[in-house]
């Protein structure tokens, strides 16, 4: 197991499989990640993110789970390519909702974006 953990080729293989899975979502133009990249240009990013215990905990838990998955792959007794082929997509699908949740905590909502426009239209000031 130690020999596998010290082999950089195994880490590289996991990284390549991860990139392939993240960029190879059926058709390139239907990938949901592209919507997440464009969304902040329309609504903006929160400038004052309240760092609460729940947000930090969520981010730390997702990070630890991801690191755990990495070490399971690196130390697997099975053929690593086989293991990645048949399980990586399922593990990414399990992590996806958590990452999307954290993403939407960081970007503004449409209501937050439109609120200043509504006050200007009504003639009010902040």
């Amino acid at each position: 197991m130690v020999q596998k953990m010290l082999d950089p080729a195994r880490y590289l293989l996991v990284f390549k499989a991860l990139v392939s899975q993240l960029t190879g979502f059926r058709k390139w133009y239907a990938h949901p990640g592209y919507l997440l990249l464009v969304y902040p240009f329309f609504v903006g990013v929160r400038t004052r993110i309240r760092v609460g215990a729940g947000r930090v905990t969520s981010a730390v838990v997702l990070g630890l789970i991801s690191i755990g998955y990495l070490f399971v792959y690196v130390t697997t007794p099975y053929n690593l390519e086989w293991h990645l082929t048949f399980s990586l997509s399922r593990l990414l699908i399990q992590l996806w909702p958590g990452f999307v949740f954290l993403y939407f905590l960081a970007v503004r909502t449409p209501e937050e974006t439109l609120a200043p426009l509504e006050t200007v239209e009504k003639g009010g000031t902040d």
Side-chain angles (χ1 to χ4, degrees), residues 62-77:
L62 282 173
L64 289 174
I65 291 171
S66 300
I67 291 169
Y69 287 163
L70 170 69
F71 283 110
V72 167
Y73 280 127
V74 169
T75 61
T76 184

Side-chain angles (χ1 to χ4, degrees), residues 28-122:
W28 66 270
Y29 54 83
H31 197 290
Y34 295 135
L35 283 174
L36 297 180
L37 289 174
V38 174
Y39 184 77
F41 292 107
F42 293 106
V43 296
V45 178
R46 289 194 174 117
T47 54
R48 295 181 191 167
I49 298 176
R50 291 185 358 213
V51 180
R55 293 176 187 180
V56 173
T57 302
S58 298
V60 168
V61 166
L62 282 173
L64 289 174
I65 291 171
S66 300
I67 291 169
Y69 287 163
L70 170 69
F71 283 110
V72 167
Y73 280 127
V74 169
T75 61
T76 184
Y78 302 110
N79 179 304
L80 181 55
E81 289 182 34
W82 175 87
H83 207 165
L84 288 166
T85 301
F86 291 104
S87 67
L88 183 59
S89 61
R90 288 183 308 217
L91 295 179
L92 291 176
I93 287 172
Q94 290 174 3
L95 291 175
W96 177 252
F99 284 112
V100 171
F101 174 73
L102 287 174
Y103 172 84
F104 280 107
L105 288 177
V107 296
R108 295 172 67 187
T109 64
E111 292 81 11
E112 291 172 331
T113 303
L114 295 175
L117 296 176
E118 290 174 3
T119 56
V120 170
E121 289 175 1
K122 292 179 183 177

